[in-house]
Amino acid sequence: MTRLTSLDQIPSEMRPGYDPAEHGIGIVHLGLGAFHKAHQAALTDLALAAGGGDWRILGVSLRSPAATAALHPQNGLFTLIEKGAEGTRARVVGAIADAICSVGNPGPALLAMSDPATRIVSLTVTEKAYGLDRAARGCDPAHPAVAADLDHPHRPQGVLGLLTEALRRRRDAGIPPFTVLCCDNLPENGALLRGAVTDFARHLDPALAEWIAGEVAFPSTMVDRITPAATDDTLAEAARLTGCEDQAAVETEAFCQWVIEDHFPQGRPGWEAAGVIFAEDVAPYELMKLRMLNGTHSMLAYAGFHAQLRYVRDVMENPALALLIGHHLRAAAATLPPIPGIDTETYADTLLQRFRNPSIAHETFQIAMDGSEKIPQRIFAAVADARKASVDIRPFALATAAWSRHVSGATHDCAPYALRDPRAEGLRNTATGRDASSVVAAIAGLGIMPDTVAGDGDFWAMVESILSDMLITPMTEIIEREAQRPSPFSRR
Ligand code: CS2
């Protein structure tokens, strides 16, 4: 079978509705994973078909050459397989013009980011890659990439280093800055990244920091599309559908949402043609998504993984766990400020439907990754607001206990696994194989939550009591027992 390299090879109904060769690059994207391809690249593809413009994307991989090895030989083309209630649809996306890898050689990425034609630099690099000091809203000089880039700012490897060096070059050359578009699941992601980049720059050149603070736009975004990591099955399906070998194919759900603050001084693609919502203030949407979708995802990932449920769709088949998922969604909704035009019950129902999607094989172990980077905004922030609004905190205590069990490495009812978390080493020393109170002390002492939550004795007592059971009882039994408890979040 021939490798996908050109649109002539595929059926005409699967081609983009425009000729990619007629459109120049306007966006450099950092973090070339499945999510970027299924979300921003897919939507930019629709926007190019509808409104044109020089808005194709140069993808930069910051971690491994694998994404580049898949996309570069295919001239950036890849098959997008969308799976929803109406069945499977596939099309080839032409929005990515090329892919490069910056590992060990940031030169080409910096060149592209400093090019006047680049007007947006977007990012999906995962929470842990930034090197944020979230409490101080700055950068964390102890983060390995931040430390290395502060030492060698002209040969950056990390996110903050690359952005700052590219912005410096633009300032020095009198080129207006690009807009920085953070697309990771962080609260007020634009403002958070602005704080981190300006703080990073301040360590090197205070005048540059001032220029960035005054001139660079960092709109916040809420991104949403459930996209499992591509597998051999994904590639085989793409080959069947297109008739070409495709090493870069991606599969995703039919649902897709992107809410963005409309602040793009150098312009932007006509994304509204692709259904993108532009809002004055994205924060309420982000909070809703982080606490309802992502918070529930984390809870079901830890409980589900330890109940030996491999995929989210399997979790939804367990009636007791499905009931607890409903409780978590309603508890999370109760912590949110009202959002005009949004009914959180309807949003919760849509989420349940999406989690049930039988054609999406989303591994609980994948979602369980990097808990210490995710739980703060997904669970602990909800606890803080739940306390203010007198909302029952038990669902959040259950989620925290399930994460703590994952961190403790207890395997009395499941196979051994490696903890995938940037704080894994520290947690191995303080939490692995320990009793419930030591694990809870290790978690509460991580410094990743508001002081009010860290000092909330009742909350931690509840977590510890659930966790003590979880350390000796099979997770399936804990779930059954928990589901039988009366809850204010039962659907009336
Ligand atoms: C998930 C997200 O892996 C995870 O932590 O919760 O990747 C989730 O699938 C996306 O945010 C959906 O938009």
Side-chain angles (χ1 to χ4, degrees):
M1 192 177 272
T2 12
R3 183 104 179 247
L4 173 65
T5 52
S6 129
L7 293 171
D8 308 335
Q9 293 165 281
I10 52 157
S12 55
E13 68 277 7
M14 292 178 75
R15 296 180 198 158
Y18 62 98
D19 178 3
E22 287 178 4
H23 301 270
I25 293 174
I27 302 175
V28 172
H29 183 82
L30 308 183
L32 202 44
F35 184 72
H36 168 66
K37 290 191 273 182
H39 191 272
Q40 303 96 48
L43 295 174
T44 304
D45 197 58
L46 296 177
L48 283 166
D54 288 332
W55 290 114
R56 287 179 82 214
I57 302 166
L58 175 74
V60 181
S61 170
L62 303 184
R63 272 188 317 171
S64 90
T68 315
L71 270 169
H72 176 72
Q74 299 184 183
N75 296 315
L77 298 175
F78 68 92
T79 312
L80 174 74
I81 305 170
E82 297 172 315
K83 298 181 168 187
E86 263 95 71
T88 295
R89 288 176 23 176
R91 68 178 215 264
V92 169
V93 171
I96 298 186
D98 200 359
I100 58 175
C101 176
S102 71
V103 179
N105 179 19
L110 287 169
L111 212 59
M113 292 164 81
S114 324
D115 189 318
T118 298
R119 283 151 291 155
I120 296 173
V121 173
S122 53
L123 306 96
T124 51
V125 293
T126 78
E127 300 89 334
K128 64 174 176 280
Y130 287 95
L132 302 168
D133 178 340
R134 298 194 202 182
R137 294 199 152 246
C139 72
D140 172 12
H143 183 277
V146 175
D149 290 354
L150 284 173
D151 280 347
H152 303 284
H154 304 307
R155 273 193 66 75
Q157 289 297 321
V159 178
L160 303 183
L162 281 166
L163 289 170
T164 306
E165 172 62 6
L167 287 166
R168 181 193 68 78
R169 290 186 183 187
R170 292 178 83 110
R171 180 202 60 176
D172 292 355
I175 302 167
F178 44 72
T179 297
V180 183
L181 191 61
C182 177
C183 300
D184 278 293
N185 285 316
L186 287 158
E188 297 180 73
N189 53 12
L192 211 54
L193 185 51
R194 168 200 289 276
V197 174
T198 42
D199 187 28
F200 180 90
R202 200 169 296 122
H203 282 79
L204 301 167
D205 173 355
L208 177 63
E210 220 167 278
W211 182 78
I212 292 173
E215 301 293 325
V216 184
F218 288 82
S220 281
T221 65
M222 182 268 248
V223 291
D224 189 8
R225 190 167 222 190
I226 291 174
T227 307
T231 63
D232 288 345
D233 289 347
T234 316
L235 307 190
E237 191 169 3
R240 214 169 41 245
L241 292 164
T242 61
C244 295
E245 180 195 344
D246 180 356
Q247 293 288 331
V250 61
E251 65 181 286
T252 188
E253 63 176 340
F255 182 95
C256 188
Q257 197 173 38
W258 197 3
V259 188
I260 314 179
E261 275 165 16
D262 202 359
H263 185 34
F264 292 83
Q266 309 304 320
R268 60 163 174 82
W271 278 313
E272 43 281 86
V276 175
I277 300 168
F278 286 93
E280 283 262 303
D281 182 10
V282 167
Y285 295 91
E286 275 183 315
L287 270 194
M288 175 179 77
K289 195 248 167 178
L290 283 170
R291 292 189 191 173
M292 292 185 69
L293 191 160
N294 297 116
T296 310
H297 242 181
S298 289
M299 171 274 196
L300 71 82
Y302 297 115
F305 177 74
H306 290 275
Q308 298 180 54
L309 299 165
R310 179 161 180 198
Y311 298 117
V312 175
R313 65 188 181 203
D314 304 332
V315 165
M316 299 305 291
E317 296 283 308
N318 177 310
L321 191 44
L323 184 94
L324 296 174
I325 288 167
H327 292 175
H328 193 103
L329 283 170
R330 275 175 230 119
T335 69
L336 300 171
I339 312 171
I342 300 242
D343 170 30
T344 51
E345 265 301 310
T346 312
Y347 184 69
D349 286 342
T350 314
L351 291 178
L352 292 171
Q353 249 172 35
R354 292 170 63 196
F355 294 166
R356 271 188 225 113
N357 189 338
S359 36
I360 294 286
H362 200 190
E363 296 212 33
T364 47
F365 193 58
Q366 183 187 337
I367 304 170
M369 187 170 57
D370 295 346
S372 71
E373 291 283 330
K374 296 173 175 175
I375 299 294
Q377 58 276 22
R378 298 181 181 201
I379 306 292
F380 295 141
V383 173
D385 284 341
R387 284 309 204 189
K388 285 184 217 146
S390 303
V391 171
D392 182 27
I393 52 166
R394 186 146 186 115
F396 307 121
L398 177 68
T400 307
W403 172 47
S404 307
R405 175 187 156 161
H406 190 67
V407 161
S408 82
T411 52
H412 52 282
D413 58 349
C414 73
Y417 56 91
L419 181 65
R420 298 188 297 176
D421 192 293
R423 292 177 177 81
E425 207 183 307
L427 288 166
R428 247 194 308 275
N429 296 332
T430 51
T432 309
R434 303 299 169 96
D435 60 294
S437 75
S438 315
V439 178
V440 162
I443 298 271
L446 278 175
I448 58 169
M449 63 199 78
D451 290 346
T452 52
V453 176
D456 188 335
D458 289 347
F459 173 70
W460 292 107
M462 201 184 279
V463 174
E464 188 178 324
S465 127
I466 303 173
L467 179 63
S468 336
D469 276 350
M470 280 183 182
L471 293 181
I472 46 172
T473 314
M475 188 59 107
T476 42
E477 237 180 277
I478 302 276
I479 293 167
E480 287 293 333
R481 273 196 235 152
E482 192 67 26
Q484 274 161 28
R485 290 174 65 95
S487 165
F489 304 111
S490 297
R491 213 192 261 272
R492 282 171 286 273

